[in-house]
Each structure stands twice: as C-alpha cells, then as structure tokens.
C-alpha cells in the first residue's frame, strides 16, 4: 500500500522579500500608493524568480530582487533612502551565503550606487566581512562598481520628511521610531528597508538586506541591517533571514541568527522560531519590526509585530503572495 503524503511538495526554489515594516495602515494609504508598492514588490519577486527558474543561484536571485527595490524610490534603500540629521544619505547593506557561511557588508556608504552589490563584493573579493565609510567606497570603486553622487539617492519626499522631523523634534534627545503618519499618508519617520532570502534548485540558501537606516540618524549610527547575525543570516543547515525594524533591538537580540539557532538547537520549525523571536523576545523589549525567512525545505515565514510589513514570496510550485497589512 502506498503511504498517503499530506505534506505539500517541497518546492525546487523559493524567494521571499520585504520592503520594510512599520506603522503601515490601510486607512492612511491611497489606492495609488498601495498599487505602486504591490507592483514594486511584484517586480522584485519576478526579477529574483527569473534567476531561480533558470537554475541560477540564490545569491544571484537575492541581489536581483534587492537591486530593483534599491532603485525604486518607494523604499528606504538606495534611491529614496531616508536622510540623516545632516541631510545626507548613508547606506548600509549585508549579504550572506548559506552554503559557505561567507558574508559581506558595507556600512555608512554615501556614493556606492548599489550597496547590496558592494556587500556581495566584500564577500566575494576581499578577505574581510564588513567595510565602512570611505574605505568601503574606495573598495567598491576599485572593484569597478558604479559610483554616484550622494544626490542620486535624494528624493523630495524624504527631504520634506527630514525637515518635518527636525522641526517637530527640535528638542528631542532620542531618535523616535514609532511612526505617526503624515498628512500625505506617508510615514514620518521611516520604513522601507529592503531584503530578500532565497532557496535555489541546488538547495543553497542566501539572504541580503539593504537600507538607509533610520531617519534623522546621527553620529555615524549603524543599525542591524549590515550586521551579520542581527539583520541578515543564512545557513544551509537551517534558514535564510532578512530583518527590518528598530535596528538597536535587532542588534541586541541578534535576531536573524536567533531564528536559525532556535531551529538548530531547539529543533523548532521556521515558523515557531520566527514567531518566538518576533512576537515574544522582541515584543517584550519593545522592539518593533519583522523579518522574512525561508528554510532549507522551501518553507517561508514572514512574521512582524508592527501594523504592516511590505512583503511577498514566490515558490516553484506556483504559490505566490504579496501583502502589506496584517491579514
Ligand atoms: N533595521 C533598519 C535600521 O535600524 C531600519 C529598518 O529596517 O526599517 O537601520
């Protein structure tokens, strides 16, 4: 007698992406903006899936999906990134290969067109894991990556945003995070860090994250996004993870690695591990945000403890999803 297998078939590949978590409420969103975000997420999924379908690597797929979002002004990464207190854009990104546990990251870069490409370049072509500021820029330029003026990343929307924040926070000593919504329906503080995690046909996992960090940041502040284990982690033995949220809490809780560690050491499923970290550990501390993740079996999980997270996934089985708010 044949055994009845009720489990869904394991997908040959899977890709999951996010475009940031935060106070994202349907009542503050116009239909046009919602459609624009959905289209942008869809385009990123398609770009990544095109790579995976052809038998390309999870590394290529992650970079392809993230680069589209870096170029899209809707997201807080690359073009359209949030402004620092000094009204410049400083970008952070990281990348990890789950097959080799190699990793690369850049922090505080101002002139590298694609921070995720630079992070991957640090992984592939240097003996280091993380480069920052001017050194990271020198390295990227030497490796032939495209360099741009900082103004390439500037958008009027974000400039207005930082001016509003500075006006209203003139006497504040701490950078706020919990977002109010502005009159035009856009977030006042930030949201829109981007990330991707993928499983390819070879069974290899990879993850990457790219961000402008937090609005109004100063003193060379670096968040979790470029920190391996905090904002990004991938290991073929467990899962690939990219985070978004209040970076300081994600660093302190080593969030991306904690999800993988709970799977490996406690034998939790991807879903159990992610929910534990996002809905319990982070929540108890007041750490707003979420993450996207995919495991070695192609399961996908996208937990968040904010009102929304731009997110989506696609699998070789044809299963696909795009979401913005809590379901
Ligand atoms: N985690 C990012 C940071 O703290 C921001 C975000 O994901 O929204 O820099």
């Amino acid at each position: 007698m044949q055994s009845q297998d009720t489990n869904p078939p394991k997908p040959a590949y899977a890709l999951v992406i996010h475009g940031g978590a935060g106070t994202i409420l349907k009542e503050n969103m116009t239909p046009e903006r919602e459609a624009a975000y959905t289209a942008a997420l869809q385009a990123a999924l398609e770009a990544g899936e095109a790579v995976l379908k052809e038998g390309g690597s999870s590394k290529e797929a992650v970079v392809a999906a993230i680069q589209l979002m870096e170029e899209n002004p809707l997201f807080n990464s690359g073009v359209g990134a949030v402004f620092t207190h000094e009204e410049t854009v400083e970008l952070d990104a990281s990348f990890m290969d789950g097959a080799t546990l190699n990793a690369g990251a850049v922090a505080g870069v101002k002139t590298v067109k694609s921070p995720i490409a630079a992070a991957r370049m640090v992984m592939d072509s240097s003996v280091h894991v993380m480069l920052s500021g001017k050194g990271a820029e020198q390295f990227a330029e030497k490796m032939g990556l495209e360099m741009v003026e900082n103004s390439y990343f500037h958008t009027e929307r974000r400039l207005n945003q930082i001016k509003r924040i500075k006006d209203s926070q003139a006497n504040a000593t701490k950078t706020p995070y919990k977002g109010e919504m502005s009159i035009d329906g856009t977030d006042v503080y930030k949201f829109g860090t981007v990330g991707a995690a993928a499983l390819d046909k070879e069974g290899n996992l990879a993850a990457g994250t790219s961000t402008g960090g937090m609005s109004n940041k100063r003193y060379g502040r670096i968040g979790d996004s470029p920190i391996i284990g905090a904002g990004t982690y991938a290991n073929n033995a467990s899962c690939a993870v990219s985070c978004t949220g209040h970076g300081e809490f994600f660093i302190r809780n080593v969030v991306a690695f904690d999800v993988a560690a709970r799977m490996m050491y406690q034998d939790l499923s991807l879903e159990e591990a992610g929910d534990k970290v996002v809905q319990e550990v982070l929540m108890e501390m007041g750490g707003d945000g979420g993450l996207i993740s995919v495991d070695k079996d192609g399961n996908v999980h996208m937990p968040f403890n904010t009102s929304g997270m731009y997110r989506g996934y696609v699998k070789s089985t044809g299963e696909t999803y795009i979401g913005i708010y809590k379901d």
Side-chain angles (χ1 to χ4, degrees):
M1 214 174 102
Q2 280 199 322
S3 66
Q4 294 284 140
D5 188 358
T6 50
N7 290 329
K10 182 183 161 183
Y13 63 78
L15 170 70
V16 57
I17 61 172
H18 71 78
T23 311
I24 308 166
L25 297 167
K26 195 165 178 64
E27 55 265 36
N28 293 319
M29 187 76 89
T30 63
E32 293 75 26
R33 269 188 89 70
E34 195 177 292
Y37 274 107
T38 303
L41 292 168
Q42 182 67 38
L45 284 175
E46 281 169 12
E49 184 178 20
V51 173
L52 295 169
K53 202 182 244 168
E54 292 302 311
S57 70
S58 50
K59 292 184 283 188
E60 295 297 334
V62 163
V63 171
I66 290 181
Q67 280 186 323
L68 264 200
M69 294 190 281
E70 284 182 338
E71 285 162 16
N72 191 319
L74 286 173
F75 300 108
N76 173 20
S77 67
V79 180
V82 297
F83 279 86
T84 65
H85 189 71
E86 289 73 30
E87 299 184 9
T88 61
V89 164
E90 293 178 9
L91 304 161
D92 305 329
S94 64
F95 188 87
M96 188 158 182
D97 174 9
T100 58
L101 303 190
N102 281 337
V106 292
V109 293
K110 297 181 182 176
T111 57
V112 183
K113 186 178 180 197
S114 172
I116 195 66
R120 184 163 175 205
M121 191 65 91
V122 172
M123 179 181 94
D124 288 340
S125 307
S126 86
V127 293
H128 306 297
V129 169
M130 186 190 266
L131 300 179
S132 74
K134 287 228 167 348
E137 289 169 349
Q138 274 168 23
F139 170 78
E141 190 163 12
K142 192 169 158 221
M143 297 313 294
L145 291 186
E146 195 170 347
M147 307 301 286
V148 292
E149 295 292 317
N150 196 249
S151 58
Y152 166 80
F153 302 112
H154 297 184
T155 56
E156 211 176 300
R157 169 184 168 224
R158 295 297 191 186
L159 191 60
N160 292 337
Q161 183 184 74
I162 189 68
K163 291 197 186 302
R164 279 201 303 271
I165 294 171
K166 280 162 74 169
D167 283 351
S168 66
Q169 302 290 325
N171 299 314
T173 51
K174 279 191 144 187
T175 305
Y177 182 76
K178 290 204 179 195
E180 310 155 5
M181 302 300 280
S182 66
I183 28 176
D184 63 358
T186 61
D187 50 283
V188 171
Y189 295 128
K190 49 146 277 55
F191 316 121
T193 289
V194 307
L199 169 74
D200 63 27
K201 288 182 180 174
E202 304 289 316
N204 290 321
L205 292 167
T209 309
S210 182
T211 190
M214 285 170 60
S215 280
N216 205 22
K217 63 184 182 181
R218 3 182 158 178
Y219 317 121
R221 182 263 185 192
I222 308 282
D224 61 312
S225 305
I227 298 179
I228 296 300
T232 303
Y233 190 72
N235 184 338
N236 276 5
S238 52
C239 62
V241 181
S242 169
C243 299
T244 172
H246 195 160
E248 281 68 11
F249 291 88
F250 283 68
I251 296 172
R252 289 161 62 202
N253 289 293
V254 203
V255 166
F257 179 72
D258 195 21
V259 175
R262 284 172 192 274
M263 290 180 74
M264 292 190 284
Y265 308 152
Q266 296 187 313
D267 216 18
L268 297 190
S269 68
L270 184 75
E271 190 171 341
E272 289 166 342
D275 284 346
K276 178 82 192 168
V277 177
V278 173
Q279 311 299 3
E280 293 182 37
V281 178
L282 280 171
M283 281 288 267
E284 276 159 25
M285 238 188 223
D288 291 339
L291 59 87
I292 48 128
S293 54
V294 55
D295 71 12
K296 58 185 179 4
D297 297 317
N299 296 305
V300 159
H301 190 44
M302 308 178 291
F304 55 98
N305 60 30
T306 49
S307 59
M309 179 167 82
Y310 300 109
R311 63 197 186 280
Y313 70 80
V314 62
K315 296 184 183 186
S316 60
T317 52
E319 195 184 326
T320 183
Y321 170 90
I322 287 179
I324 297 178
Y325 320 103
K326 271 206 177 100
D327 291 327

